[in-house]
Amino acid sequence: MESAIPASLLAVLDRLDTMSEPERQALAGLPWRQQSFQDGAEIIPEGHRPTESCVLLRGFTANVRYLANGDRQLTAIHVPGDFFDLHGLFLKVLDHGVVALTECQVALVKHEHLKRVTADHPHLGAVFAASIAREGALQRTWIVCMGRKDPVRRIAHLVCEMYRRLERAGGARDFQFEFPVTQAEIADLAGLSVVHTNRALQELRATGLMSWQGAEIRISNWPSLVAFAGFDETYLGLRLEEQ
Amino acid sequence: MESAIPASLLAVLDRLDTMSEPERQALAGLPWRQQSFQDGAEIIPEGHRPTESCVLLRGFTANVRYLANGDRQLTAIHVPGDFFDLHGLFLKVLDHGVVALTECQVALVKHEHLKRVTADHPHLGAVFAASIAREGALQRTWIVCMGRKDPVRRIAHLVCEMYRRLERAGGARDFQFEFPVTQAEIADLAGLSVVHTNRALQELRATGLMSWQGAEIRISNWPSLVAFAGFDETYLGLRLEEQ
DNA sequence: CGTTCTTTTGATCACACTCAAAAACGGTGG
DNA sequence: CCACCGTTTTTGAGTGTGATCAAAAGAACG
C-alpha cells in the first residue's frame, strides 16, 4: 500500500467519461501495491485467475498468446495509464498473458477493492465497462490492420496509434516519442517474420514520413502518415455514452 | 413491444454468470421491438450513435469495418442469442457497422431500459461487462488466427468456434450445423482473397476432418480438427468472476 | 430459361517466409 | 579504453504462399 495512484495515470479512464470529484478521489484513494518488472518478464501468465487488476505506471507491456509450435502473437500494447487488466475483474480466467516489453512499473489493485468502489459509486462500474469496450475497439482496429493492410501500412498504423495514445498519457509530444521495442516484438504484434518487419520498417523510413532510430520515433509529416496508414482515430476517442 | 425475449436466447449471458431468478425475469421482461433484415442488409452503420442494443434472434450477423479502397474486414460473427451490440451502451459512437450475413431477426432494447435494469439489479451490470469482456476474448483469439495461422487452419478454427457457439445457442448438435455464409464473407473475415479462400476450403475438406457442402457443415473428426486448428476453447467459456 | 450470384479452375506474379550470415550496437569486465 | 560478448538489426539468396486477373462451371431465383 502506497500513496495515491498518480492522477495523470488514470488519464485513460478520465477520457472515457467525466467523473465526479468523489469518484475521482475514490479511484485515487484505492489501496494498491507497486511492482517492478524487468524487460521480458511475464507479468501475468496465460490462464491466470487474477485477484488483482493492474495500472501500468511506466514502460510498455503487451497481451500475449502462445501457440503450440512456440510462436506467439501479441494482441495489444499498453501504455502508461492503461488499466490493462481490468477485464480480469469480470472473467474468471484470463485468456492471455501479459508480458513486459521494457522494464516497467505496475500498480496492482485488489479486485475486492475495485468491487467495493463500484458498489459505492455505481457510475464507476459503467466507466470500467467503457474501458473494456474501448479495448475491444482497439482490437477490432488491429484485426482490420492484420486482415487488410500490407505490412508497411500496418506498422505505420501502429506508429500513429502509439503516438496518439502516448500523447494522452503524457509520453509523447511534437510528433516524437520513445518506443523502446525490438523489431522481433513488432513482428509478433504484426504477424510478420522479423526479417520482413525489418524490411517493411526500412520501406516506411524511406517514405520520409517518419524516422525510427533506436527507440526514438519522429513523425515528420503527420497528415501524410495518417493518410498512408489509413488511420482513423475515432476508435481511440470513444467515450462513455452520456447518461 | 412484444412478448418476452425467448429465455434460450439469453443463453450467452446466462453462461457468463449464474443469474438470480429476479434478474432473469428482469431481463426477460425488458420492453423490446423486433425487426427483420434481409441478407446483406446494414443493421447498424459504422459510426452510428446507438440508442438501442440488439439481441440476435435468428440468422447470422457480423461486425464490419470498411476501408477507403472499398475493401472490408469482418471483425466478428454473431450467432443467435448474442447481445452483439451491448458495448454500444457504454460507447458514444460505434467504431464498426453490423451487417446481416443471412436473412435474420433482431430484438432491439432501448438503452434507457438497459440502464434501468442495471440500476435495479446492479449485478446485471457486471454480467453485461462480462459479456463485453468475453467479446474481447473472441477478438483476441481471432487476432492470433490472423497473425500466426495459415488460411486452412484459420478456417478450421472458425468452424470449431462456430460449432461450439452454435451448440450453446441450440443451433448445432452431433457435429453438424447450418452455416449459410458465402466464401466471399469468409474471405472478408479471414483476411484472404475469395479465390484463395476457396482453395483453402478445398484443402480443408481434403483432410477428411470435415465437409462443407452448401450451407451444411459436418465435422467428422472433432478431436483431430481441434488439434489441426489449434483450437483451445477455454476463451469461449470465460465466466464472470464469482462475487 | 435466362440472369445473377457463387463456386471453381487455370496461369502468372508479387509478396513475405525461410535459412544463413554479416554488421552494428550495447553492455561488461579486464 | 579496449576487447569481448550477446543481442538486435541488416543484408543476401532461394522458395513458397497467397494475390490478381480472367474465365468457366454450377446454383439459385425469378
Side-chain angles (χ1 to χ4, degrees):
Chain A
M1 309 303 174
E2 312 225 358
S3 55
I5 296 178
S8 65
L9 290 175
L10 293 168
V12 172
L13 289 182
D14 220 23
R15 292 276 169 172
L16 290 167
D17 194 14
T18 319
M19 291 187 281
S20 70
E21 199 46 46
E23 287 165 353
R24 212 175 300 255
Q25 285 180 5
L27 277 181
L30 282 169
W32 59 296
R33 67 188 179 90
Q34 184 172 330
Q35 197 170 345
S36 294
F37 295 89
Q38 39 177 240
D39 188 1
E42 185 179 54
I43 296 176
I44 302 170
E46 201 172 329
H48 187 240
R49 296 169 164 265
T51 59
E52 302 175 292
S53 282
C54 307
V55 178
L56 183 57
L57 300 174
R58 206 166 51 74
F60 292 95
T61 59
N63 290 352
V64 62
R65 285 264 276 267
Y66 294 93
L67 283 83
N69 67 0
D71 279 0
R72 68 176 198 175
Q73 174 71 42
L74 304 183
T75 61
I77 290 189
H78 312 118
V79 306
D82 281 352
F83 219 137
F84 62 79
D85 197 15
L86 195 52
H87 48 283
L89 181 61
F90 299 103
L91 299 173
K92 246 187 188 168
V93 177
L94 263 203
D95 60 292
H96 64 267
V98 178
V99 66
L101 299 182
T102 65
E103 193 192 2
C104 59
Q105 281 180 14
V106 171
L108 298 102
V109 185
K110 285 205 163 68
H111 283 173
E112 52 192 279
H113 296 128
L114 292 173
K115 281 170 182 160
R116 183 177 43 72
V117 84
T118 54
D120 294 348
H121 305 268
H123 174 241
L124 281 180
V127 175
F128 287 178
S131 173
I132 295 168
R134 189 187 104 122
E135 176 122 22
L138 300 196
Q139 287 173 351
R140 283 188 284 276
T141 302
W142 198 237
I143 289 175
V144 175
C145 288
M146 302 272 283
R148 294 295 182 209
K149 288 185 180 166
D150 65 63
V152 184
R153 278 163 236 271
R154 224 177 282 179
I155 296 173
H157 193 286
L158 171 70
V159 170
C160 291
E161 179 179 313
M162 290 314 295
Y163 178 69
R164 278 300 194 218
R165 290 173 64 194
L166 283 167
E167 189 181 37
R168 287 189 177 182
R173 39 180 288 199
D174 298 332
F175 297 114
Q176 51 187 295
F177 59 101
E178 295 284 315
F179 196 49
V181 160
T182 68
Q183 292 182 12
E185 288 162 335
I186 302 294
D188 283 338
L189 180 71
L192 301 169
S193 68
V194 182
V195 171
H196 197 67
T197 300
N198 178 268
R199 297 199 224 262
L201 216 37
Q202 289 178 53
E203 207 178 313
L204 184 54
R205 288 194 203 106
T207 64
L209 301 176
M210 50 160 287
S211 68
W212 187 335
Q213 292 163 23
E216 179 78 16
I217 295 182
R218 274 169 217 263
I219 299 167
S220 33
N221 190 335
W222 173 255
S224 297
L225 186 66
V226 163
F228 175 74
F231 177 67
D232 174 357
E233 63 184 292
T234 49
Y235 74 99
L236 287 175
L238 302 172
R239 288 172 66 94
L240 179 62
E241 174 77 13
E242 247 99 64
Q243 294 297 78
Chain B
M1 308 302 174
E2 312 225 359
S3 57
I5 297 177
S8 64
L9 290 175
L10 294 168
V12 172
L13 289 183
D14 221 23
R15 292 274 170 173
L16 290 167
D17 195 13
T18 319
M19 291 186 281
S20 70
E21 200 44 47
E23 286 165 355
R24 213 175 300 254
Q25 285 180 5
L27 277 180
L30 281 169
W32 59 295
R33 67 189 180 90
Q34 185 173 328
Q35 197 169 346
S36 295
F37 295 89
Q38 38 177 239
D39 188 0
E42 184 180 56
I43 297 176
I44 302 170
E46 201 172 328
H48 187 239
R49 296 168 165 265
T51 59
E52 302 174 292
S53 282
C54 307
V55 178
L56 183 57
L57 299 175
R58 207 166 50 73
F60 292 94
T61 58
N63 290 351
V64 61
R65 285 263 277 266
Y66 294 93
L67 282 82
N69 66 359
D71 279 0
R72 68 175 198 174
Q73 174 71 42
L74 304 183
T75 61
I77 289 189
H78 311 120
V79 305
D82 282 351
F83 219 137
F84 63 78
D85 198 16
L86 195 52
H87 48 282
L89 182 60
F90 299 103
L91 298 174
K92 248 187 188 167
V93 177
L94 263 204
D95 59 294
H96 63 268
V98 179
V99 66
L101 299 183
T102 65
E103 192 191 2
C104 57
Q105 281 179 14
V106 171
L108 298 102
V109 185
K110 285 207 163 66
H111 283 173
E112 52 194 275
H113 296 129
L114 292 172
K115 281 171 183 162
R116 185 177 41 72
V117 84
T118 55
D120 294 348
H121 304 269
H123 175 240
L124 281 180
V127 175
F128 287 178
S131 172
I132 295 168
R134 190 187 102 121
E135 176 122 21
L138 299 197
Q139 287 174 350
R140 283 187 284 275
T141 302
W142 198 239
I143 289 175
V144 175
C145 288
M146 303 272 282
R148 293 295 183 210
K149 288 184 180 167
D150 64 64
V152 184
R153 279 163 234 272
R154 225 177 281 178
I155 296 173
H157 194 284
L158 171 70
V159 170
C160 292
E161 180 181 313
M162 291 313 295
Y163 178 68
R164 279 301 195 216
R165 290 173 64 194
L166 283 167
E167 189 181 37
R168 288 190 178 182
R173 40 179 288 199
D174 299 332
F175 298 113
Q176 51 187 295
F177 59 101
E178 294 284 316
F179 195 50
V181 160
T182 68
Q183 292 180 14
E185 288 161 335
I186 303 294
D188 283 339
L189 180 71
L192 301 170
S193 68
V194 183
V195 171
H196 197 69
T197 300
N198 178 268
R199 297 200 224 263
L201 217 36
Q202 291 179 51
E203 206 179 314
L204 183 53
R205 290 194 202 105
T207 64
L209 301 176
M210 51 161 286
S211 69
W212 187 336
Q213 292 163 23
E216 179 77 16
I217 295 182
R218 274 170 217 263
I219 299 167
S220 34
N221 190 335
W222 173 256
S224 297
L225 186 65
V226 163
F228 175 74
F231 177 66
D232 175 358
E233 63 184 292
T234 51
Y235 75 99
L236 287 175
L238 302 172
R239 286 173 67 93
L240 180 62
E241 175 77 13
E242 247 99 65
Q243 294 297 80

